[in-house]
Amino acid sequence: PFKLPQTRFLTPIYHPNVSEKGHISFDPLCTTETYRPTTPLTDYVNTVIELIDNPNIDYPLRSGKFFR
């Protein structure tokens, strides 16, 4: 748990904060500056669910006709 966890979707998902390769953009937990090994896995899962439910359109990984 001393390394930042890598999170991605294996199944394609069309979402502005998920790249074509399935990588997720969510800053609060997945930056080397804010990462703490004591953070429970449930916090990561809840953050991903929150991001999927409420996209951050100010910082998209994808843009295009699907999201206009």
Side-chain angles (χ1 to χ4, degrees):
F2 297 106
K3 230 172 124 176
L4 185 67
Q6 294 182 0
T7 309
R8 69 182 180 101
F9 285 94
L10 297 177
T11 303
I13 179 172
Y14 298 103
H15 190 278
N17 299 115
V18 179
S19 73
E20 291 177 6
K21 293 185 178 186
H23 297 284
I24 302 168
S25 162
F26 61 108
D27 287 338
L29 293 176
C30 283
T31 62
T32 54
E33 294 83 28
T34 59
Y35 174 70
R36 296 199 187 353
T38 57
T39 303
L41 182 60
T42 55
D43 287 356
Y44 288 99
V45 173
N46 288 333
T47 301
V48 171
I49 292 170
E50 180 67 27
L51 180 72
I52 297 303
D53 287 345
N54 302 304
N56 186 351
I57 58 173
D58 293 331
Y59 301 102
L61 285 177
R62 268 190 209 194
S63 61
K65 63 182 178 181
F66 297 113
F67 307 112
R68 292 178 194 210

